[in-house]
């Protein structure tokens, strides 16, 4: 057990992307986790300090800016609740485990939104029924055209909106691999799927993204 | 390999999802086909396009907010509950399951009275151990009894009175058990209860415990939010329970009374499991512990007393 902890702490020391430079952030994850499991509040605070930006980034890319902060807080509370069950075993690192919680939280949130939308939605094609007959529903199309977006020099906004128009399972892999730069192996653990399946999902997601991107630049509209 | 097939596969090639044979075929094709080479270059550009998205920055006080939420969350969890041994929890859960199997036929049967009955009135007229004891909820109500703000104060006051009530309950329990051997002493359903009984008689019928039904009693117990030590106590008491109790061979009321301690123990354990392990909710009241420790030699009875105390 002890040796596993030491071995895995090496994995934890090479996170992808931005690294925070505070003293706490440089502490060994395994030591912090063990201390937090023994009820040391400052150890968990150090873990929060080290990872909250990355978790926020994941949730922002998955769910958008509005709920990202609340969801980040929810992720850490879930982590705190489940921390007792966490063990450094095999290739699992605290970061992988935390990202898994974050992804599950994001997927839950997206499902809830979908349900809310289904509940609140109405058909744009359906005519409005009035006492003296029905009239066509005229809904203004405020989706951006390529010219609009390009004139404003918003390529990143285009990428962002196409990304957010993708199904959650596609967005998930693009966020983790292409945006966050995680390794396939780690993403496979986060998503709980075999490596081969993950690679196919990545290919399918990029293919879907490319198709929408190309469609947009050939004169299509940007998803809202 | 045809161009259409290559173009359909470029994303799989970039993602490394192709076999080495397929990958070699694509490499060979694109080296000779500018059109497919362009498609491959576009496929390779997509990860970069996504990587160029700006890194979102959270509000500067997010870490502090999370810290505050974490502290509040941690403060709401009892220290002991965080360190409860899984074996103890499993043992308590197993005991609850076994008891539930034994008791289910009994708990659905009303013991006898409702809140407005004479027996209940008599019980209510008995001076309680504390004047600020919360009122007993109406039958069927699932509301949690209000928890006193200063539970330690309640503990100091509750203990002496609880002891005398424990004695009365002990008498009640003894009476019922004795009645199993002498059926003429068992209060039959509808028989005269406390109101009709001479005032000097110190034995209470089950209905006088202040519970309209056994399940009501259990629900009341289940609403207790007690200190984590109670789980330990409850599980210990479950293990101490007499194994000779045979509900089917005893008069129902006698058996119900005898077993009420078991049910209470089990439900306290179950409540604590739910409250502390899963929901992480705690509202500490030491009433149950105080009563239980005030009659340490009659553990089962003390748990019954706990139920009555809370149900008052």
């Amino acid at each position: 057990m002890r040796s596993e902890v030491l071995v895995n702490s090496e994995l934890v020391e090479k996170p992808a992307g931005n690294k925070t430079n505070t003293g706490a952030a440089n502490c060994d994850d395994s030591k912090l986790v063990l201390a937090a499991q023994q009820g040391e509040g400052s150890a968990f605070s150090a873990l929060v300090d080290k990872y909250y930006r990355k978790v926020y980034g994941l949730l922002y890319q998955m769910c958008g800016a509005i709920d990202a902060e609340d969801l980040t807080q929810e992720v850490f509370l879930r982590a705190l609740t489940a921390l007792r069950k966490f063990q450094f075993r095999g290739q699992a690192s605290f970061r992988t485990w935390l990202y898994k919680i974050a992804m599950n939280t994001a997927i839950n949130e997206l499902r809830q939104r979908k349900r809310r939308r289904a509940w609140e939605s109405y058909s744009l094609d359906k005519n409005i029924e009035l006492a003296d007959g029905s009239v066509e529903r005229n809904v203004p199309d405020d989706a951006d055209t390529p010219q609009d977006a390009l004139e404003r020099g918003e390529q990143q906004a285009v990428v962002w909106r196409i990304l957010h128009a993708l199904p959650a399972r596609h967005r998930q892999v693009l966020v983790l691999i292409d945006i966050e730069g995680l390794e396939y192996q780690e993403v496979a653990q986060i998503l709980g799927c075999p490596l081969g399946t993950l690679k196919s999902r990545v290919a399918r997601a990029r293919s879907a993204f490319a198709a929408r991107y190309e469609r947009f630049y050939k004169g299509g509209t940007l998803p809202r | 390999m045809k161009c259409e097939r290559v173009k359909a596969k470029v994303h799989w090639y970039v993602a490394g999802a192709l076999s080495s044979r397929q990958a070699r075929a694509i490499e060979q094709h694109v080296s000779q086909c500018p059109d497919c080479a362009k498609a491959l270059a576009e496929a390779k550009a997509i990860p970069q396009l996504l990587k160029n998205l700006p890194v979102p920055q959270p509000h500067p006080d997010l870490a502090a907010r999370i810290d505050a939420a974490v502290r509040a969350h941690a403060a709401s969890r009892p220290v002991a509950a965080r360190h409860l041994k899984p074996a103890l929890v499993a043992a308590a859960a197993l005991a609850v399951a076994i008891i539930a199997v034994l008791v289910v036929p009994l708990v659905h049967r009303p013991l006898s009275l409702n809140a407005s009955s004479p027996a209940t009135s008599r019980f209510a007229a008995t001076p309680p151990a504390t004047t600020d004891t919360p009122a007993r909820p109406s039958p069927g109500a699932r509301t949690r009894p209000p928890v006193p703000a200063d539970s330690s104060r309640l503990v100091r006051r509750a203990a002496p009175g609880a002891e005398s009530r424990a004695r009365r309950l002990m008498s009640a329990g003894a009476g019922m058990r004795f009645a199993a051997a002498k059926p003429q002493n068992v209060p039959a359903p509808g028989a005269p209860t406390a109101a009709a009984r001479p005032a000097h008689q110190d034995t209470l019928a089950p209905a006088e415990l202040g519970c309209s039904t056994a399940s009501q009693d259990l629900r009341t117990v289940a609403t207790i939010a007690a200190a984590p030590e109670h789980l330990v106590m409850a599980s210990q008491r479950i293990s101490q329970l007499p194994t000779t109790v045979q509900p089917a061979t005893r008069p129902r009321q006698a058996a119900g009374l005898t077993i009420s301690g078991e049910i209470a123990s089990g439900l306290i354990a179950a409540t604590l499991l739910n409250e502390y392990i899963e929901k992480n909710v705690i509202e500490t009241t030491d009433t149950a512990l105080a009563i239980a420790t005030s009659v340490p030699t009659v553990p089962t009875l003390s748990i019954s007393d706990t139920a009555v105390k809370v149900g008052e």
Side-chain angles (χ1 to χ4, degrees):
Chain A
M1 170 68 189
R2 189 69 192 160
S3 60
E4 273 182 5
V5 169
L6 294 174
V7 168
N8 284 303
S9 67
E10 293 171 13
L11 294 174
V12 175
E13 282 306 300
K14 23 177 205 180
N18 297 342
K19 281 182 82 173
T20 49
N21 291 322
T22 62
N26 292 328
C27 284
D28 192 322
D29 271 4
S30 60
K31 287 177 187 166
L32 290 174
V33 169
L34 287 173
Q37 283 174 329
Q38 286 161 9
E40 204 175 297
S42 61
F44 193 78
S45 290
L47 289 167
V48 170
D49 248 15
K50 185 170 181 179
Y51 286 112
Y52 82 95
R53 287 189 190 85
K54 300 300 287 180
V55 170
Y56 173 81
L58 282 182
L59 294 163
Y60 180 97
Q61 307 288 7
M62 285 298 294
C63 303
I66 296 173
D67 295 321
E69 293 196 351
D70 288 344
L71 291 172
T72 306
Q73 184 173 311
E74 189 181 330
V75 166
F76 281 102
L77 290 179
R78 283 188 185 192
L80 178 68
T81 306
L83 192 65
R84 203 162 46 86
K85 298 175 194 163
F86 174 75
Q87 289 181 331
F88 285 96
R89 186 183 292 163
Q91 292 296 308
S93 73
F94 178 74
R95 183 179 74 170
T96 307
W97 181 73
L98 190 64
Y99 282 13
K100 189 171 190 167
I101 295 175
M103 274 298 154
N104 289 340
T105 306
I107 294 293
N108 284 347
E109 168 67 15
L110 292 172
R111 278 195 193 130
Q112 282 175 14
R113 283 187 196 173
K114 197 172 176 183
R115 251 179 259 136
R116 280 199 298 270
R117 271 203 301 272
W119 181 254
E120 293 162 0
S121 68
Y122 60 93
S123 171
L124 296 181
D125 300 330
K126 203 173 177 182
N127 289 343
I128 302 169
E129 299 295 331
L130 299 173
D132 54 349
S134 65
V135 295
E136 196 178 334
R137 190 191 298 273
N138 285 316
V139 179
D141 182 7
D142 57 357
D144 278 353
T145 63
Q147 287 74 22
D148 295 336
L150 287 175
E151 277 170 17
R152 293 199 302 268
E154 290 180 345
Q155 195 201 27
Q156 286 178 342
V158 172
V159 171
W160 167 262
R161 284 167 77 166
I162 291 175
L163 176 70
H164 275 253
L166 293 176
R169 67 182 185 285
H170 286 167
R171 203 183 318 160
Q172 223 176 15
V173 291
L174 295 183
V175 167
L176 290 169
I177 289 173
D178 291 340
I179 299 176
E180 294 297 324
L182 302 184
E183 298 292 330
Y184 277 136
Q185 195 69 45
E186 186 171 5
V187 176
Q189 284 178 26
I190 292 170
L191 301 181
C193 65
L195 205 55
T197 307
L198 175 65
K199 287 178 180 177
S200 293
R201 274 174 71 178
V202 172
R204 228 170 274 125
R206 286 178 184 162
S207 176
F209 179 91
R212 287 170 190 247
Y213 193 72
E214 194 180 340
R215 207 180 310 144
F216 171 71
Y217 279 99
K218 280 183 180 172
T221 55
L222 201 56
R224 296 174 65 189
Chain B
M1 194 178 256
K2 290 182 180 174
C3 288
E4 285 306 308
R5 184 120 186 251
V6 170
K7 284 178 183 170
K9 289 285 177 190
V10 286
H11 292 291
W12 275 256
Y13 173 80
V14 174
L18 296 179
S19 67
S20 53
R21 192 174 59 82
Q22 287 173 314
R24 273 199 305 275
I26 285 187
E27 284 162 8
Q28 197 176 359
H29 180 91
V30 295
S31 65
Q32 298 160 359
C33 176
D35 204 23
C36 289
K38 188 183 168 202
L40 180 60
E42 284 173 359
K44 283 181 178 173
I46 285 176
Q48 195 55 46
L49 207 57
L50 290 161
K51 199 165 184 57
N52 288 343
L53 281 174
V55 178
Q57 290 301 321
H59 194 275
D61 73 355
L62 179 61
R65 270 175 52 197
I66 295 172
D67 257 355
V70 163
R71 279 174 212 283
H73 186 77
S76 70
R77 302 175 68 200
V79 174
R82 276 179 264 157
H83 300 293
L84 279 177
K85 291 180 180 174
L88 177 64
V89 173
L94 181 63
V96 169
I98 292 169
I99 289 165
V101 168
L102 287 174
V103 165
V104 159
L106 296 167
V107 297
H108 292 297
R109 182 183 173 277
L111 286 181
S112 65
L113 298 181
N114 56 30
S116 61
S117 67
T120 308
S121 303
R122 179 186 179 276
F123 187 76
T126 306
T130 56
T131 51
D132 53 355
T133 304
R136 179 177 174 268
S138 61
R142 287 171 177 267
T143 52
R144 183 187 292 268
V147 178
D150 182 0
S151 57
S152 58
R153 190 164 54 85
L154 180 62
V155 169
R156 286 196 296 276
R157 289 193 198 171
E163 193 172 1
S164 63
R165 187 159 40 253
R167 282 203 199 94
R168 297 177 65 206
L169 287 164
M170 187 155 53
S171 307
M176 298 314 297
R177 290 193 191 95
F178 185 66
K182 297 182 177 179
Q184 66 274 16
N185 289 345
V186 178
T193 53
R197 200 166 44 226
H200 65 271
Q201 189 170 340
D202 202 27
T203 302
L204 298 177
E208 295 176 79
L209 300 181
C211 299
S212 59
T213 65
S215 57
Q216 170 70 25
D217 185 345
L218 301 185
R219 273 202 300 275
T220 309
V221 175
T223 58
I224 300 172
E229 306 90 280
H230 295 184
L231 177 57
V232 180
M233 291 175 62
S235 60
Q236 285 169 351
R237 277 156 196 192
I238 288 168
S239 67
Q240 291 168 4
L241 289 170
T243 55
T244 54
V245 174
Q246 298 292 331
T249 61
R250 287 176 178 269
R252 278 191 160 223
Q253 284 185 317
L257 180 62
T258 304
I259 289 170
S260 67
E262 300 175 39
I263 301 167
S265 303
L267 274 165
I268 287 173
T271 305
L272 288 166
L273 283 176
N274 287 332
E275 295 281 325
Y276 296 140
I277 308 299
E278 292 178 6
K279 296 179 183 172
N280 301 312
V281 172
I282 176 170
E283 287 181 27
T284 304
T285 170
D286 292 334
T287 312
L289 181 61
I291 295 169
T293 51
S294 70
V295 280
T297 54
V298 196
T300 302
L301 198 57
S302 68
I303 294 292
S304 293
D305 195 9
T306 301
V308 174
K309 168 71 182 167
V310 173
E312 274 182 8

